Amino acid sequence: MNYLWAGMILIGIIFGAFNGRMEVITNAALDSSKEAVTLCITMIGIMSFWCGIMEIAAQAGIIGSAAKKMRPVIRFLFPDLPKEHKAQEHITTNFIANILGLGWAATPAGLKAMKELETLEEERRAGKAPGPVRRKGVASNEMCTFLIINVSSLQLIPVNMIAYRAKYGSADPTAIVGPAILATAVSTAVAVIFCKVIHIREHDG
């Protein structure tokens, strides 16, 4: 991606230079830089607000309660994950944040979940935990499943996209809700089916 973006920028500069439009490129760079800073400030406020809401929910026990209610879903998606494992709460928090369209709020929980899953793999290699063992440096089934579901995540309220649309003057910022639910529902369904097929193949093999 770095090479791709660098190449596009370089091609644009060269094209502008050959067509005598360097002044336009310079002005565009300055305007874009200003807009980027303004957008970052706006989104930081939104991110801080929703991250705070998620932390309050965690401290109030709402996330813990949701984690218990989502156990059947977690067990279905992660059949080899030991019961009551620490990763479950972080996975649940990540899923809830993603469903609400709070990708930034989901990131800290996602990192914690991956850390706990890595610890689980170390315990498996040491013979202290049940489940299939992978050699060091190879992602476990739980890690791959979590990453795939995380990327394809169902979103009921795409808060970030609504904020972007409102920022740039959309007449109806929430018009994206319906299409977002449909698109992410399909992507999540495909992700779940893929993960279950791979899991069945591995265990049958």
Side-chain angles (χ1 to χ4, degrees), residues 23-88:
E23 182 180 351
V24 175
I25 293 175
T26 302
N27 291 335
L30 294 174
D31 291 341
S32 297
S33 299
K34 179 181 177 181
E35 181 64 22
V37 172
T38 303
L39 179 62
C40 285
I41 292 173
T42 300
M43 298 311 293
I44 283 173
I46 296 172
M47 178 187 70
S48 300
F49 173 77
W50 285 108
C51 283
I53 291 295
M54 293 300 292
E55 184 62 26
I56 291 172
Q59 294 294 330
I62 297 174
I63 299 299
S65 177
K68 292 179 181 179
K69 292 181 180 180
M70 286 184 67
R71 278 177 184 170
V73 176
I74 300 300
R75 293 299 301 166
F76 174 74
L77 294 174
F78 304 93
D80 294 327
L81 185 66
K83 293 182 179 180
E84 307 297 334
H85 194 272
K86 291 180 180 179
Q88 287 192 18

Side-chain angles (χ1 to χ4, degrees), residues 80 132 134 139-141 196-205:
D80 294 327
R134 297 285 187 277
S140 66
N141 284 345
K196 297 308 292 184
V197 168
I198 295 300
H199 182 268
I200 290 171
R201 282 184 178 180
E202 183 176 80
H203 280 259
D204 288 345

Side-chain angles (χ1 to χ4, degrees), residues 149-185:
I149 300 298
N150 189 281
V151 171
S152 65
S153 179
L154 171 67
Q155 289 192 8
L156 299 181
I157 310 173
V159 174
N160 291 341
M161 290 306 300
I162 292 173
Y164 284 130
R165 287 167 61 84
K167 165 69 178 173
Y168 289 106
S170 172
D172 186 7
T174 59
I176 196 175
V177 172
I181 292 175
L182 178 61
T184 56

Side-chain angles (χ1 to χ4, degrees), residues 69-198:
K69 292 181 180 180
M70 286 184 67
R71 278 177 184 170
V73 176
I74 300 300
R75 293 299 301 166
F76 174 74
L77 294 174
F78 304 93
D80 294 327
L81 185 66
K83 293 182 179 180
E84 307 297 334
H85 194 272
K86 291 180 180 179
Q88 287 192 18
E89 184 171 342
H90 299 312
I91 290 172
T92 302
T93 303
N94 178 272
F95 283 178
I96 291 173
N98 274 323
I99 288 172
L100 295 176
L102 308 174
W104 287 325
T107 300
L111 294 175
K112 291 178 182 178
M114 277 296 190
K115 183 65 177 177
E116 291 296 338
L117 293 176
E118 182 182 2
T119 301
L120 175 61
E121 277 303 287
E122 293 174 356
E123 292 174 352
R124 283 173 174 169
R125 284 193 290 271
K128 298 179 180 179
V133 180
R134 297 285 187 277
R135 68 178 184 274
K136 190 174 181 62
V138 176
S140 66
N141 284 345
E142 290 86 0
M143 289 178 176
C144 294
T145 299
F146 176 65
L147 183 60
I148 293 170
I149 300 298
N150 189 281
V151 171
S152 65
S153 179
L154 171 67
Q155 289 192 8
L156 299 181
I157 310 173
V159 174
N160 291 341
M161 290 306 300
I162 292 173
Y164 284 130
R165 287 167 61 84
K167 165 69 178 173
Y168 289 106
S170 172
D172 186 7
T174 59
I176 196 175
V177 172
I181 292 175
L182 178 61
T184 56
V186 172
S187 66
T188 301
V190 172
V192 171
I193 292 171
F194 174 79
C195 291
K196 297 308 292 184
V197 168
I198 295 300

